Amino acid sequence: MSSEERRAQILAASIAVFGAKGYDGATTDDLAQAAGVSQAYVVRMFGSKQGLFLAAFEAVAQRLETDFRAALAEADATLPSGADAAQRIHARKEAMSVAYLRLLGERGLHLTMLQAFLRGGDPVIGPVARASFGRIWRFIREEAGFDAEFGKEFLSYGMLLNTLIGLRMLDSDGSGPADELLAMCFPDLDAVAGVVPRADERW
């Protein structure tokens, strides 16, 4: 395996672990074991847990932009001939929302992003997280072409999904106080339950 392939393997495993255990709960040993490498190798490649977290977060941010761009291109390509601007924007909005939900298949992605956003006061992680958030906003407004109101709604919905996932609400047996909200956000709970960490899951 090349160094780049090994790096990608470590990042994928680290995103899963950071998502499941949080930044504070994850150790370099946890991260190394999940990737199938030695702790010394992780430190040699990324310098520290913080260095690995920043690299993992940047990988998450890049994945978001890549999938969003692909979703917009697909939406534009499948529009019927003669579609007007309003139809194009509607198709793009649907495509972006579906793309975000599909990313639930990437274990830990949403929660790694949330972990970074919660560390705005950290002198190293904070600036990186703010810059990434700013890029997402610019993407929504400039590249996707959405108005500010939809941008606010899209980010609000995304943060709500991240919160529900972080709270392990998908473990609900149907009798919880927020199950109505959960059903609204995840219409097909069975489809996503298998890819979101459960409350008792260990890494």
Side-chain angles (χ1 to χ4, degrees):
M1 192 178 280
S2 70
S3 61
E4 282 304 307
E5 290 171 331
R6 183 70 73 187
R7 177 184 172 86
Q9 176 185 335
I10 295 172
L11 288 176
S14 298
I15 290 167
V17 174
F18 282 128
K21 303 188 76 169
Y23 178 77
D24 294 324
T27 66
T28 51
D29 188 52
D30 293 330
L31 299 163
Q33 285 188 32
V37 298
S38 70
Q39 187 178 20
Y41 187 88
V42 170
V43 174
R44 188 162 64 249
M45 181 169 280
F46 296 96
S48 63
K49 182 175 80 168
Q50 185 185 74
L52 178 52
F53 180 77
L54 288 171
F57 175 61
E58 288 289 1
V60 165
Q62 290 174 12
R63 181 61 189 273
L64 277 174
E65 291 189 33
T66 297
D67 280 29
F68 284 163
R69 285 194 178 95
L72 294 180
E74 183 179 356
D76 291 346
T78 56
L79 275 174
S81 58
D84 58 24
Q87 290 173 308
R88 178 172 181 266
I89 289 294
H90 177 75
R92 286 186 145 215
K93 288 179 178 179
E94 290 276 321
M96 284 272 287
S97 299
V98 169
Y100 194 74
L101 282 170
R102 283 179 179 166
L103 284 168
L104 286 170
E106 300 292 324
R107 298 188 73 88
L109 184 145
H110 294 71
L111 296 185
T112 297
M113 180 170 56
L114 187 59
Q115 287 285 323
F117 291 162
L118 289 173
R119 282 166 171 72
D122 184 280
V124 177
I125 298 174
V128 176
R130 284 189 290 276
S132 176
F133 192 85
R135 287 199 305 273
I136 293 171
W137 181 255
R138 286 195 299 274
F139 180 92
I140 290 170
R141 295 285 284 120
E142 298 170 9
E143 192 165 336
F146 300 137
D147 60 28
E149 185 62 27
F150 176 76
K152 181 189 73 173
E153 292 175 5
F154 184 78
L155 291 179
S156 298
Y157 181 58
M159 291 301 176
L160 176 58
L161 294 182
N162 292 356
T163 299
L164 292 173
I165 296 166
L167 289 170
R168 305 302 197 259
M169 294 296 290
L170 294 182
D171 290 358
S172 174
D173 61 2
S175 60
D179 283 332
E180 181 181 27
L181 175 61
L182 188 65
M184 292 171 66
C185 293
F186 299 101
D188 189 354
L189 281 174
D190 290 337
V192 299
V195 296
V196 177
R198 302 187 66 81
D200 59 353
E201 188 165 4
R202 296 293 179 268
W203 293 82

